[in-house]
Amino acid sequence: MRSKRCIAMCLAGGEGRRLGPLTHHLAKPAVHFGGKYRIIDFTLSNCTNSGIDTVGVLTQYEPLVLNSYIGIGSAWDLDRKDGGVTVLPPFVEQQGGNWYKGTANAIYRNMAFIERYDPEYVLVISGDHIYKMDYERMLHFHRTRNADATIAVIQVDWKDASRFGILATNERDQVIDFAEKPAKPQSNLASMGVYMFNWKTLKAYLQQDEANKLSSNDFGKDIIPAMLFEGTRVFAYPFEGYWKDVGTIDSLWEANMDLLADEPTLDLFDDRWRIYSQNTYQPPQYIAPQARVTRSMVNEGCTVYGEVDHSVLFYGSHVAPGALVRDSVIMPNAVIGAGAVVIRAIVGEGATVTDGCSIGHPTGDITLIASDQWVRKGVLA
Amino acid sequence: MKHMMGVINCIQERVDLGALTAHRCVAAVPFGGRYRLIDFVLSNMVNSGIEDVAVLTEDNVRPLMDHLGSGKEWDLDRKRGGLFVLPSNGHGKRASDIEQLRAHRDFFHRGTQEYVVIARSHIVCNVDLRRVLHAHEQSGADVTALYYCTTEDVDASFDIDAFGRIAAMHASPKGLVLKNAPIDVYMMRKSWLLDVIDEPQGAISVEQRILERLHDVRVYAYCVDAYVGIIDSITSYYRHSMALLQPDVLRELFFRGAPIYTKVKDEPPTKYADASHVHNALIANGCIINGCVENSIIFRGVRIHAGAVVRNSIVMQNGEISEHAHVQHAILDKEVYVEAEHNVVGTADAPHVVPKKKVHAIA
């Protein structure tokens, strides 16, 4: 095994409880997004596009779909002889086994994997965020600052700041304070959950943290505060651009709608930074003579006979004649029956809205139709 | 299922698609928004359990090689078998497929399969070759030839007797109403093919060898009861492309049987703007559509700007139709740029073909 300069560890065990029925049988990183992607496509594509060819994906909750989706990583060009993608579920040792206790514990328990590559740097990322980021530039920042740890940060609205890990920095971008979800945030610089570490430093902290029985073994709650307390050089790498943690149904809907702007902040059409995904081998989309499609993103394999406005249609979905889909997300292979009306809704994979049914409401909460559900009578959110 | 191996014959094509085949072989001609013609025969073979496919090639092979790669998209990147490209000997002399097969006869010896399917790449259909194999074994034929029934004008028609054996072939069956048109797909025992390859003979093709000796070779017919598109001219290319806009044809080719595989480009879904007017169109991924598209096939990565109108046309990969340009009854090869307020207009019978990478700026 040749040594690698930098490898990535992608945390993909999230349950995404607030996504409700969408994550009943699916880990959050496997949730569909943007007409053809799953959320984890963004971090895996970022790795490939940044020149990182060794990625450990740490799975835990409902891993079946995620594991088969990642496969040997060929979709992201991560099927490599030396390195590539490795799925790392919790495992049993001679002393027994249990679930990953926290994010830091998950990395700690896979130290053997990391050490195989003898890396200088370890990038810790989360598989459930939507963003495009060049980790190579972050590594450059990390090296020029002579940092032990670098946290990517983004400016968030002040009103939202208390939902994030908030950092305070000095004029040299060095982190002087870190508070996880503070009631009274001192800044609006939020951690994106993207960390670059010198492996030697991180390894020492992981071992120290594991020995502390009171620790919750979490990067944000334990590792970073310990580093700051002991004066380790932690820097904040300022990121500008689109970044979203789609934790709720509303934010998932909103992130999909963001793509429909005339010039969206998240540009999926940039061929220098392709977002790769598994392909489903569908024919091109068919738009019927009487159909109408405006302000929307439509994927291959869709058949549209009705009206679609300001919506995202995943592969294989069908909109029958006379149906209206507006401000909605139609997941793979869902069927919108003849004359049905779908407004401000997320229709799950393989779900059917039967003929003449009406779901959703122009204002208020987003209506969610779970995967494979049959909707027979009108549901107003 | 390891009974069959496949051979796709891309040499001595009798097909002329004008500008579309100026720099590529017929097999590599783009079709149906995201495919190349060879995808259909290759997918049919793979979907029928064939794991060894040889492609005989001659000129203009680069676009085809680029498309096929290691065969991964068709699941043909195998340790045993998989995709083999059998090139011509490179001495500038046009070999017949028999001569080329003879040069590569080792390929046939390494596989253990009993049967070989030989096909050409210009036929668009979705057919299960396992059924053909079954019929072939039942009939005890030396060769099974595939055909379809049509009322259209075709080059040839099989005369089939009551037992399903081909008694004769009519070269120009003008008088017939219903024709049994061959689709250039033949199934035979590998040993039979190897015998033919080793016979001393001139530069004739396997097909000619079969059809000229119908009296002593037992050739049985197998009817393909599905949509068949024979792409042998610009007119038929245009007609069969437009046929994809009929939902039943689309269903038969892509949804009824097994999937048709092709090289993946990782384009995002297509984006429709506020002002887009799209009616009766087949549109691939990666397009941005601001203008009007009617009765057309749009390939991957095409830009159609505001006020532009594309009607009854085919726009191939990465084409760009600028503001208020007008494209009607046209076939635009890859990467064609039509300037603002310019027109590209053909007729339904003779679509205007614009060659690859041409900047179209004639008002």
Side-chain angles (χ1 to χ4, degrees), chain B residues 227-289:
Chain B
Y227 184 81
V228 173
I230 298 191
I231 314 293
D232 55 2
S233 63
I234 286 288
T235 326
S236 57
Y237 175 85
Y238 182 69
R239 186 158 47 88
H240 289 297
S241 295
M242 290 303 155
L244 299 174
L245 297 173
Q246 299 163 24
D248 49 334
V249 173
L250 194 68
R251 206 173 303 123
E252 224 174 279
L253 274 177
F254 297 107
F255 293 107
R256 202 179 72 170
I260 303 298
Y261 309 103
T262 190
K263 186 177 172 182
V264 168
K265 305 267 187 200
D266 290 292
E267 301 274 4
T270 278
K271 198 163 176 189
Y272 296 80
D274 197 8
S276 79
H277 279 274
V278 180
H279 304 286
N280 200 33
L282 198 62
I283 299 182
N285 270 359
C287 299
I288 298 180
I289 296 174

Side-chain angles (χ1 to χ4, degrees), chain B residues 65-137:
Chain B
M65 298 293 286
D66 177 18
H67 182 68
L68 295 175
S70 64
K72 195 176 193 167
E73 313 287 2
W74 298 268
D75 213 15
L76 286 174
D77 55 332
R78 303 264 65 88
K79 275 202 198 278
R80 280 173 172 270
L83 181 73
F84 295 84
V85 174
L86 307 182
S88 70
N89 58 21
H91 300 317
K93 188 172 135 279
R94 289 291 170 95
S96 75
D97 60 354
I98 288 190
E99 286 175 307
Q100 198 153 328
L101 289 170
R102 190 181 298 141
H104 294 286
R105 74 194 310 292
D106 285 356
F107 166 76
F108 295 94
H109 285 299
R110 49 181 292 172
T112 56
Q113 296 88 341
E114 222 177 320
Y115 298 97
V116 180
V117 182
I118 298 189
R120 286 195 176 268
S121 61
H122 64 289
I123 315 289
V124 173
C125 70
N126 194 331
V127 58
D128 188 346
L129 297 166
R130 284 172 296 197
R131 288 165 184 267
V132 181
L133 178 63
H134 183 71
H136 181 78
E137 285 178 328

Side-chain angles (χ1 to χ4, degrees), chain A residues 84-160:
Chain A
V85 70
T86 309
V87 175
L88 303 167
F91 55 91
V92 174
E93 297 164 302
Q94 279 194 336
Q95 293 83 3
N98 47 30
W99 296 118
Y100 294 142
K101 284 179 281 177
T103 50
N105 174 253
I107 305 293
Y108 172 82
R109 286 170 53 191
N110 285 288
M111 286 205 306
F113 169 80
I114 297 172
E115 302 262 76
R116 286 173 73 186
Y117 298 100
D118 185 26
E120 246 179 282
Y121 308 101
V122 172
L123 175 72
V124 177
I125 49 185
S126 165
D128 48 17
H129 296 160
I130 296 166
Y131 65 113
K132 300 196 315 188
M133 181 174 180
D134 189 346
Y135 303 132
E136 179 74 47
R137 283 167 66 178
M138 181 174 176
L139 178 59
H140 179 77
F141 174 97
H142 179 83
R143 284 157 56 90
T144 52
R145 298 300 195 285
N146 201 15
D148 289 305
T150 298
I151 305 171
V153 294
I154 187 164
Q155 291 202 357
V156 295
D157 283 349
W158 278 97
K159 65 177 171 53
D160 297 328

Side-chain angles (χ1 to χ4, degrees), chain B residues 7 35 54 62 73 77 117 189 245 282 311 324 336 342 357 363:
Chain B
V7 174
Y35 304 94
R62 192 198 54 79
E73 313 287 2
D77 55 332
V117 182
R189 254 179 212 285
L245 297 173
L282 198 62
R311 277 202 186 99
H324 303 288
V336 167
H342 283 76
K357 290 193 176 165

Side-chain angles (χ1 to χ4, degrees), chain A residues 262-281:
Chain A
D262 280 340
E263 299 208 349
T265 338
L266 183 71
D267 181 11
L268 297 174
F269 283 81
D270 179 3
D271 56 12
R272 290 163 306 178
W273 205 271
R274 273 264 179 270
I275 304 303
Y276 301 105
S277 63
Q278 286 284 11
N279 215 273
T280 53
Y281 297 102

